[in-house]
């Protein structure tokens, strides 16, 4: 038994080394106190885990600043795992009371907010017209996907989808890095040229079906009008509409023609596909403008001078064909059970204020939803291009964010089946349409 | 001196082959943990690290708060393993060597409770813990862990106890020993390999369990190690070398415990064998 | 009280801690789940009773059908998982040189959490990764494929990765079982000339019957209720629905689509299917018992 004893001793030693001060279990006991007394605001997010850099550091600094400005309020920032976030949130919501559960929660844009409104406080009384005006992305945090509807969350970061390309590889294949292929015909030719020099056209990660989703979002401006999108959500336009068929046909064309890198179907979009692009295995990458898989990460790894940026290659000319989709990357909401909704909103407004919008761009390297940031502070050439596009309003909402989660899931899986030859574009969209109709029928039955 | 036969050599070669498949991925993980993200992403994904660095281990230690959380994990797991031993041996002894009406039915009921998919009981279980005032308490997580280990552990021990001849129990009864004494003095020493096996299994899954830990322990001061490591994944699992380092740190205590238990296990197998 | 009555009381007493725990933390929550199977419920707002509608939908749900088919494929693989562990345990049990090393090496995969297993194998099984590299090296380049991205190959690949994850645990379980078998039985059989297959079928399997039954049942239950994390990290149930399992569909319905009621119906159906298989399995293994 000596070794066992030794092991137990070891574990005990680790315990002692691990917790120099045994902290008592601290539960939120301040909840019942009136708003004027000292209080603790519990904030949940999936970014706070790493307080040493990026969004985590930015938020930690903001918490301390907020506490200095509001000495009676203590911020209890709880880092939650991103993967299990909504399971934990659902359980907390099912049994929440003012004494328990977070006051402020980070949520993804779109259906994640609007499907969870039973657990949230409407922010109508707090969001002033001025505040509304300087922040973008309300269309994915407000009732009915209407930017002027009841606000359920405040967008903090802006996300968007743009196409990145590797200038060095384009040069290698005999193409002009200053004139990226903007038409569909040129784009296909460029992919062929890359194959000619032993590289792939596009770095694609389709393991989760996300790439198809992104492609559809990036390309839908060419065939669909803004009204079409509204009709689609309302069920007036069908998923089997020729305008949507056309987009999926292009997706299939890219795959059939061999534009994807090898093993695209089992490659995770994050981080593997982006890494393949950074390694120079493929010339193009449909990426983000904030957070990861974006200009900052690519610039650091590849050198900003080797990176180019463009919008979706155009297969169908139209007034909006060079737009790119944007939406809130993440947003903060106040929970329904929070005993301090006003202070909770004050905290969110503090996070979203002008000064923090600027530090979000300069320190984190992501685009803030608050548009009052100082554009002069941007030094990265690609970020400058994006900021310019944002300023000239070359953006539109994403298409699939507004679909119910279940419809999006079906769409992604059916796209995977199209790309692996298990189904046709028509049959795939028929399946998506069926899901959309079932979801709508259930909604009607429920209300 | 044993004669070395062709069969033995073939068997050893097969065993070596299988061992390679289990060791290689671990080596790959260690290599990855020793690379900078730059080296892993841009230059060298599969080979040994060209510029080994401990940076990932340092960062993982700091960011996943290993030092902060490891004590909580140790408390939960050690208490969980011990309580599970007690609960399961009692139940298994009753099911294998005691007679009473409804024994078979109870056995199937316990077995059946193993099949419940955790996803459907998350919300009611959470509500139950609130009613019992066990949220944010190690005791809450320990009880949930022990419960989840009970069907498996009871079944495992029952299947071992059953192979112990009932005559041994009867002999002890004739000597006037109470059931608890028989369990302690007769059954458990014989079943030491099974107990150690159960201990290893429980230690492992309790150490690695994430969902219930996240759910039940929401205050930072009580959280377990895997929660910290899981947070290294971030939103998009961007930094594989960092994650590898974190998982390596998390796995280290388990490996230590296994190697200690394993020598016990080996001893138990020769000493404790039924003659 | 009679001696019999006292003994029976003792039996119930011994079972009390286990039963109390199971009732509080498993059965009462499970009963709540069964109740909700007859409702449309998003987990937050009050549930709305819909009678048997969820079960009716289940019968016509093509994804559920695919998921059940995939799950049954995994169950068919269970004997393979059992056999591999059993044979390796026997080899180690014979005190071959390096037995302790092998036992430790086989155990390594069990230490890894599903997250790292998934991440590892995603990298190793990549089309340009080392597995295909090795195949090409030994002249089997024709077999190289996109293991997890090919709808035909994805599920069999998952079966093999699962095997990799659990065979070490099986070895430990069987070794502990073998320790309880008197060595004389094996030696006598050897002297009688029992070799290879007949040794396995007539000597080993009968001696380890209860342990094999236990591990087999455990693997079946495991394949139905504990693969979520692997699927989540490795394939997400795809491509398409190629690796969709009931458990994964249940998670999607409960936490992605906010259909807790339907998920509870799925969970209830899953329970009945698995319990049926397990009972059948135990019947087969304990034929001729009391």
């Amino acid at each position: 038994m000596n070794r066992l004893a030794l092991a137990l001793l070891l574990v005990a030693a680790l315990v002692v080394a691990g917790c120099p001060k045994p902290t008592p279990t601290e539960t939120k006991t301040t909840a019942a106190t009136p708003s004027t007394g000292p209080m603790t605001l519990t904030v949940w997010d999936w970014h706070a885990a790493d307080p040493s850099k990026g969004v985590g550091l930015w938020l930690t600094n903001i918490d301390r600043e907020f506490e200095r400005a509001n000495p009676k309020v203590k911020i209890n920032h709880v880092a939650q795992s991103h993967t299990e976030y909504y399971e934990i949130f659902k359980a907390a919501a099912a049994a929440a009371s003012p004494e328990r559960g977070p006051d402020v929660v980070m949520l993804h844009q779109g259906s994640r907010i609007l499907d969870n409104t039973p657990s949230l406080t409407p922010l109508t009384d707090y969001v002033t017209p001025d505040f509304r005006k300087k922040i973008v992305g309300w269309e994915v945090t407000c009732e009915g996907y209407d930017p002027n509807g009841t606000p359920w969350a405040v967008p903090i970061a802006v996300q968007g989808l743009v196409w990145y390309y590797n200038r060095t590889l384009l040069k290698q294949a005999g193409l002009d890095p200053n004139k990226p292929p903007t038409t569909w015909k040129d784009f296909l030719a460029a992919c062929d040229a890359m194959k000619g020099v032993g590289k792939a056209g596009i770095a694609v990660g389709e393991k989760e079906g996300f790439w198809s989703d992104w492609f559809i979002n990036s390309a839908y401006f060419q065939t669909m009008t803004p009204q079409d999108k509204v009709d689609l959500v309302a069920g007036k336009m069908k998923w089997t509409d020729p305008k949507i068929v056309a987009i999926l046909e292009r997706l299939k064309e890219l795959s059939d023609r061999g534009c994807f890198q090898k093993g695209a179907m089992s490659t995770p979009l994050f981080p593997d596909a982006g890494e393949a692009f950074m390694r120079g295995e493929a010339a193009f990458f449909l990426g983000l403008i904030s957070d990861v898989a974006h200009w900052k990460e690519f610039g650091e790894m590849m050198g900003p001078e080797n990176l180019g940026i463009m919008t979706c290659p155009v297969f169908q000319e139209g007034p909006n064909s060079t737009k790119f989709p944007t939406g809130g990357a993440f947003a903060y909401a106040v929970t329904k059970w929070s005993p301090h909704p006003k202070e909770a909103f004050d905290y969110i407004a503090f996070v979203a204020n002008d000064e923090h919008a600027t530090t979000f761009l300069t320190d984190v390297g992501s685009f803030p939803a608050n548009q009052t940031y100082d554009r002069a502070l941007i030094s990265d050439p690609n970020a400058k291009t994006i900021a310019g596009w944002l300023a000239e309003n070359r953006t539109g909402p994403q298409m699939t964010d507004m679909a119910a989660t279940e419809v999006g899931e079906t769409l992604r899986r059916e796209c995977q089946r199209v790309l692996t030859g298990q189904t046709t574009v028509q049959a795939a969209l028929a399946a998506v349409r069926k899901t959309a109709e079932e979801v709508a029928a259930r909604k009607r039955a429920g209300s | 001196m044993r004669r070395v036969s062709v069969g033995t050599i073939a068997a050893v070669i097969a065993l070596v082959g299988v061992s390679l498949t289990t060791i290689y991925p671990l080596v790959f993980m260690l290599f990855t943990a020793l690379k900078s993200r730059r080296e892993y992403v841009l230059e060298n994904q599969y080979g040994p690290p060209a510029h080994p660095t401990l940076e990932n281990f340092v960062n993982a230690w700091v960011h996943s708060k290993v030092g902060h959380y490891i004590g909580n994990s140790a408390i939960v797991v050690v208490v969980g393993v011990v309580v599970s031993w007690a609960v399961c041996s009692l139940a298994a002894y009753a099911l294998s060597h005691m007679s009473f009406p409804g024994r078979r039915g109870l056995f199937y009921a316990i077995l059946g409770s193993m099949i419940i998919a955790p996803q459907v009981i998350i919300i009611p279980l959470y509500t139950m813990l609130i009613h019992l005032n066990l949220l944010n308490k190690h005791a809450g997580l320990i009880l949930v862990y022990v419960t989840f280990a009970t069907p498996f552990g009871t079944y495992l021990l029952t299947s071992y106890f059953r192979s112990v001849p009932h005559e041994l129990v009867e002999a002890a009864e004739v000597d006037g020993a109470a059931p608890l004494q028989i369990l302690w003095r007769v059954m458990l020493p014989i079943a030491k390999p099974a107990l150690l096996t159960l201990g290893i299994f429980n230690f492992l899954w309790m150490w690695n369990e994430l969902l219930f830990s996240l759910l039940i322990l929401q205050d930072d001061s009580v959280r377990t190690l895997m929660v910290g490591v899981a947070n290294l994944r971030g939103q998009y699992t961007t930094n594989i070398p960092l994650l590898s380092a974190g998982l390596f740190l998390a796995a280290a205590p388990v490996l230590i415990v296994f190697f200690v238990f394993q020598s016990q296990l080996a001893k138990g197998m020769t000493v404790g064998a039924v003659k | 009280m009679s001696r019999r009555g006292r003994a029976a009381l003792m039996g119930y007493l011994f079972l009390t801690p286990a039963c109390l725990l199971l009732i509080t933390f498993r059965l009462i929550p499970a009963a709540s789940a069964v109740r909700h199977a007859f409702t449309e419920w998003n987990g937050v707002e009050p549930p709305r009773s819909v009678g048997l509608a969820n079960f009716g939908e289940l019968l016509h749900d093509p994804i559920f059908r695919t998921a059940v088919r995939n799950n049954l494929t995994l169950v068919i693989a269970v004997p393979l998982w059992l056999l591999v562990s059993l044979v390796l345990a026997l080899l180690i049990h014979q005190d071959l040189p390096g037995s302790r090393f092998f036992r430790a090496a086989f155990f390594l995969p069990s230490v890894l959490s599903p997250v790292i297993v998934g991440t590892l194998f995603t990298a190793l099984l990549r089309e340009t990764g080392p597995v295909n590299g090795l195949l090409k090296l030994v002249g089997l380049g024709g077999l190289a494929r996109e293991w997890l991205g090919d709808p035909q190959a994805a599920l069999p690949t998952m079966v093999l990765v699962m095997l990799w994850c659990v065979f070490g645990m099986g070895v430990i379980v069987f070794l502990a079982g073998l320790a309880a078998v008197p060595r004389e039985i094996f030696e006598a059989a050897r002297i009688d000339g029992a070799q290879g297959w007949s040794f396995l079928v007539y000597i080993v399997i009968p001696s380890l019957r209860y342990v094999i039954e236990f591990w087999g049942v455990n693997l079946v239950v495991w394949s139905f209720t504990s693969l979520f994390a692997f699927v989540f990290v490795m394939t997400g149930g795809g491509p398409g629905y190629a690796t969709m399992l009931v458990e994964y569909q249940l998670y999607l319905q409960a936490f992605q689509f906010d259909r807790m009621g339907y998920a509870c119906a799925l969970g209830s159906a899953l329970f009945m299917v698995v319990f049926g298989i397990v009972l059948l399995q135990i019947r087969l293994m304990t034929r001729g018992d009391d």
Side-chain angles (χ1 to χ4, degrees):
Chain A
M1 273 317 212
N2 278 345
R3 293 237 201 151
L4 190 64
L6 192 69
L8 288 176
L9 256 176
L10 246 170
V11 171
L14 280 172
V15 173
V16 175
C19 18
K21 44 173 195 339
T23 32
T25 308
E26 188 188 325
T27 42
K28 239 178 67 188
T29 48
T30 50
T33 49
S35 290
T36 47
M39 65 180 79
T40 301
L41 285 178
T42 301
V43 183
W44 275 19
D45 75 56
W46 59 79
H47 270 306
D50 179 357
S52 72
K53 60 177 192 291
V55 184
L57 175 64
W58 181 71
L59 283 172
T60 309
N61 290 337
I62 291 177
D63 288 352
R64 297 295 85 82
E65 266 178 61
F66 186 78
E67 284 171 346
R68 275 198 297 278
N70 303 271
K72 280 182 181 157
V73 183
K74 198 179 161 322
I75 301 292
N76 172 27
H77 220 119
V78 182
Q80 297 288 12
S81 162
H82 184 253
T83 315
E84 287 83 7
Y85 192 79
Y86 289 97
E87 281 144 284
I88 309 295
F89 179 63
K90 274 248 125 56
S97 67
E99 292 79 34
R100 188 185 317 111
D103 301 279
V104 175
V105 286
M106 184 179 274
L107 294 169
H108 290 94
Q109 74 270 29
S111 47
R112 280 304 192 186
I113 293 168
L114 297 188
D115 288 352
N116 280 312
T117 50
S119 310
L120 305 177
T121 297
L123 304 177
T124 324
D125 297 344
Y126 306 113
V127 174
T128 61
D130 274 352
F131 188 68
R132 213 188 254 263
K133 215 160 47 195
K134 60 186 178 188
I135 286 177
V136 297
W138 292 105
E139 69 277 2
V140 277
T141 64
C142 291
E143 192 66 42
Y145 295 102
D146 170 7
N148 300 311
T150 303
W152 290 101
V154 177
I156 303 294
V158 173
Q159 193 53 283
L161 292 167
V162 294
W163 290 68
Y164 293 96
Y165 61 90
N166 184 326
R167 286 172 174 275
T168 322
L169 286 190
L170 250 55
K171 231 182 288 174
Q172 251 178 52
L175 302 166
D176 182 354
N178 295 319
K179 281 205 198 116
T182 49
T183 69
W184 193 254
K185 203 175 114 251
D186 290 350
F187 184 75
L188 293 180
C191 287
D192 292 345
M194 294 323 301
K195 273 189 283 180
V197 295
K199 300 284 180 185
I202 319 166
V204 169
E206 183 61 357
K207 189 194 111 182
E208 308 90 344
F210 284 148
W211 198 84
S212 294
D213 189 308
W214 284 14
F215 177 79
I216 293 166
N217 275 307
S218 166
Y220 87 96
F221 298 103
Q222 302 181 36
T223 61
M224 291 170 67
T225 63
Q227 187 56 43
D228 285 341
K229 192 176 47 52
V230 175
D231 290 349
L232 184 67
V233 174
K236 277 186 238 157
M237 181 180 173
K238 302 297 172 202
W239 278 92
T240 43
D241 193 282
K243 290 176 177 175
I244 303 177
V245 172
I247 306 171
L248 260 70
E249 293 287 0
R250 298 300 170 175
L251 173 69
K252 187 168 156 26
E253 186 180 8
L254 289 176
S255 165
D256 289 349
R257 205 177 163 111
C259 297
F260 298 172
Q261 98 284 13
K262 272 192 169 178
M265 293 310 299
S266 58
T267 303
L269 190 48
F270 301 107
D272 301 46
E275 288 177 357
F277 175 67
M278 289 188 262
R279 273 197 296 277
E281 288 168 17
F284 298 95
F285 184 77
L286 176 50
L288 299 170
I289 62 170
S290 292
D291 248 359
V292 286
H294 67 325
W295 50 273
K296 185 159 189 274
E297 189 183 14
F298 295 156
E300 280 167 7
M301 288 289 210
M302 305 161 64
E305 69 285 355
N306 291 324
L307 191 67
I309 186 171
M310 61 188 221
T311 49
C312 187
V314 176
F315 52 84
Q316 190 169 321
E317 286 284 351
N320 298 323
S321 55
T322 60
K323 281 198 169 186
F324 69 99
T326 53
F330 59 87
Y332 269 129
V334 178
T335 55
K336 189 179 72 183
W337 53 84
S338 170
H340 315 293
K342 193 191 166 300
E343 288 77 8
F345 180 80
D346 287 347
Y347 171 75
I348 298 177
F350 190 73
V351 174
N353 75 16
D354 302 359
E355 182 198 335
H356 297 137
T358 303
T359 52
F360 194 62
L361 187 69
T362 53
D363 299 355
V364 180
S366 293
F367 283 92
N370 183 337
Q371 292 301 301
T372 58
Y373 61 87
D374 187 353
R375 281 181 177 72
L377 290 170
I378 307 176
S379 57
D380 183 279
N382 295 297
K384 253 186 205 150
T385 313
I386 296 170
W389 289 350
L390 286 170
E392 62 192 69
N393 225 355
R394 230 175 109 173
T395 62
Q398 305 188 23
M399 174 179 140
T400 57
D401 271 359
M402 306 196 176
T405 321
E406 205 173 339
V407 176
E409 181 80 20
T410 309
L411 177 66
R412 290 194 291 276
R413 290 190 189 274
E414 290 297 333
C415 285
Q416 287 183 327
R417 298 183 68 217
V418 167
L419 297 177
T420 49
Q422 299 177 81
T423 187
T424 62
V425 168
Q426 297 285 350
L429 285 171
V432 179
R433 173 177 170 175
K434 187 166 156 276
T435 306
E437 285 168 357
E438 282 167 6
V439 171
R442 268 205 308 274
K443 270 222 174 99
R444 275 198 303 278
S447 56
Chain B
M1 186 74 200
R2 263 171 65 175
R3 197 166 52 89
V4 178
S5 70
V6 180
T8 308
I9 296 174
V12 171
I13 291 177
L15 291 174
V16 169
V18 178
S19 316
L20 284 180
T21 71
T22 61
I23 294 173
Y24 171 74
L26 233 77
V27 172
F28 173 69
M29 192 170 120
L30 183 63
F31 281 174
T32 306
L34 288 170
K35 289 171 191 171
S36 66
R37 172 146 197 262
R38 191 177 187 86
E39 180 179 349
Y40 175 77
V41 171
L42 292 186
E43 294 146 20
N44 168 19
Q45 207 164 4
Y46 298 110
H51 316 283
T53 165
L54 287 177
E55 173 196 18
N56 294 314
F57 285 96
V58 174
N59 286 338
W61 180 274
V62 175
H63 298 164
S64 64
K65 305 197 204 166
V66 175
H68 187 81
Y69 292 144
I70 199 166
N72 293 330
S73 270
I75 291 167
V76 169
V77 172
V78 169
V79 177
V81 166
V82 171
V83 175
S84 180
W85 268 332
V87 172
C88 296
S89 336
L90 285 173
Y93 183 71
L95 291 173
S96 57
H97 286 282
M98 294 168 104
S99 61
F100 48 88
R103 188 173 84 164
R104 226 183 155 76
L106 275 168
F107 172 72
Y108 282 125
I110 291 179
L111 189 60
S113 62
M114 184 154 120
I115 302 168
I116 299 162
Q119 288 92 345
V120 289
I121 59 167
I122 285 180
I123 290 180
L125 180 63
Y126 184 80
T127 319
M128 170 72 80
L129 286 160
I130 289 171
H131 286 316
L132 298 176
N133 198 19
L134 286 170
L135 208 65
N136 275 324
K137 294 196 174 110
H138 287 145
L141 189 63
I142 291 169
L143 287 175
V144 168
Y145 280 178
V146 171
T147 308
F148 275 58
T150 293
F152 173 86
T154 304
Y155 191 13
L156 180 132
L157 294 182
T158 306
S159 66
Y160 281 97
F161 288 179
R162 271 172 165 181
S163 32
V164 176
H166 193 58
E167 294 78 43
L168 285 177
V169 176
E170 279 166 359
E173 271 171 1
V174 170
D175 290 348
L180 211 55
Q181 284 172 317
I182 305 177
L183 172 64
W184 184 254
R185 297 219 186 109
V186 180
M187 202 53 75
L188 293 187
I190 295 178
K192 207 164 131 194
L195 286 174
L196 287 170
T197 306
L198 178 61
I200 290 175
F201 279 26
N202 278 340
F203 193 101
L204 264 182
W205 84 264
M206 288 178 188
W207 190 267
N208 283 333
E209 205 283 332
L210 181 61
L211 183 60
F212 286 103
S213 183
L214 274 168
L215 193 68
I216 296 169
L217 306 177
Q218 290 177 2
D219 277 341
D220 201 51
S221 58
V222 287
R223 283 192 151 178
T224 59
L225 182 57
M226 271 321 275
V227 173
V229 174
N231 279 338
L232 291 177
R233 277 179 296 170
Q235 187 171 356
Y236 304 108
T237 15
T238 32
N239 197 336
I240 301 281
L242 178 67
L243 183 65
S244 298
L247 286 157
F248 223 91
L249 289 177
V254 188
L255 281 174
I256 294 172
V257 168
F258 172 71
F259 286 120
V260 174
F261 270 49
Q262 122 125 350
S263 63
Q264 286 293 315
L265 200 62
K267 232 194 275 170
M269 279 172 190
T270 45
V271 176
V274 185
K275 284 279 142 53
Chain C
M1 201 187 281
S2 69
R3 212 181 68 86
R4 263 187 102 84
R6 257 204 324 271
L9 187 69
M10 219 46 184
Y12 296 128
L13 264 179
F14 271 41
L15 279 164
T16 304
C19 290
L20 272 182
L21 282 172
L22 286 171
I23 290 170
T24 318
F25 297 112
R26 288 224 101 163
L27 296 186
I28 294 177
S32 152
V34 171
R35 215 177 55 235
H36 283 113
F38 301 95
T39 66
E40 183 77 38
W41 182 40
N42 64 9
V44 179
E45 289 170 300
R48 183 169 57 85
S49 178
V50 292
L52 287 168
N54 286 330
F55 291 96
E57 188 181 341
L58 205 62
L59 290 177
H60 301 105
D61 184 342
I63 300 170
F64 179 62
R65 225 171 298 152
T66 312
V68 169
R69 204 173 44 235
N70 289 341
N71 263 124
L72 292 178
T73 312
L74 289 178
V75 169
I76 293 170
V78 165
L80 169 79
W81 294 345
L82 276 175
L83 197 67
V84 169
S85 298
L86 188 57
V87 169
L88 290 173
L90 277 174
L91 289 178
I92 290 182
H93 188 64
Q94 292 177 359
D95 273 338
L96 291 174
S99 288
R100 282 184 67 167
F101 166 77
F102 294 130
R103 191 170 43 212
F106 293 172
F107 184 72
L108 287 177
S110 325
V111 180
L112 304 179
S113 73
V115 178
I116 198 69
V117 171
T119 314
L120 267 172
F121 277 92
T122 307
L124 297 179
L125 291 167
R126 197 173 286 162
E127 191 156 0
T128 50
V131 170
N132 280 340
L134 188 69
L135 285 174
K136 280 178 191 138
L137 199 71
V138 297
L140 291 171
L143 285 179
R145 64 192 61 236
E146 192 184 349
W147 295 101
L148 292 169
D150 176 335
Q152 267 80 45
L155 194 62
T157 307
M158 290 284 285
V159 168
L160 289 178
V161 175
M162 300 292 107
L163 168 67
W164 185 84
C165 287
V166 289
F167 82 89
M169 293 215 176
V171 168
I172 304 256
V173 169
F174 289 136
L175 277 174
L178 285 168
V181 179
R183 259 177 203 271
E184 296 81 51
I185 293 186
F186 288 164
E187 272 151 27
R190 284 258 182 248
I191 291 164
D192 291 348
Q195 288 277 319
W197 191 251
S198 64
F199 178 64
L200 191 69
V201 172
Y202 296 110
I203 309 295
V204 177
I205 294 186
S207 331
L208 289 182
R209 201 170 50 169
Y210 291 121
V211 179
I212 295 175
E213 172 214 300
F214 155 72
W215 192 240
V217 167
N218 182 56
L219 283 180
V220 168
V221 175
W222 183 75
S223 76
F224 276 99
T225 59
S226 311
L227 299 189
F228 169 75
F230 294 101
V231 176
F232 184 87
V233 181
M234 275 169 42
T235 61
Y241 301 92
T243 53
M244 178 64 76
L245 301 180
V246 178
E247 195 196 354
Y248 197 79
Q249 192 192 1
L250 203 152
Y251 155 81
L252 287 177
Q253 293 290 350
F255 296 105
Q256 299 289 320
F257 307 160
D258 294 331
R259 295 195 67 204
M260 217 49 190
Y262 190 56
C264 287
L266 270 167
S268 309
L270 182 71
F271 176 81
M272 286 184 280
V273 171
V274 182
F275 204 52
I277 296 178
V278 165
L279 286 184
L280 191 73
Q281 215 181 344
I282 294 179
R283 277 284 148 77
L284 282 177
M285 290 298 297
T286 52
R287 249 180 324 186
D289 254 36
D290 52 356

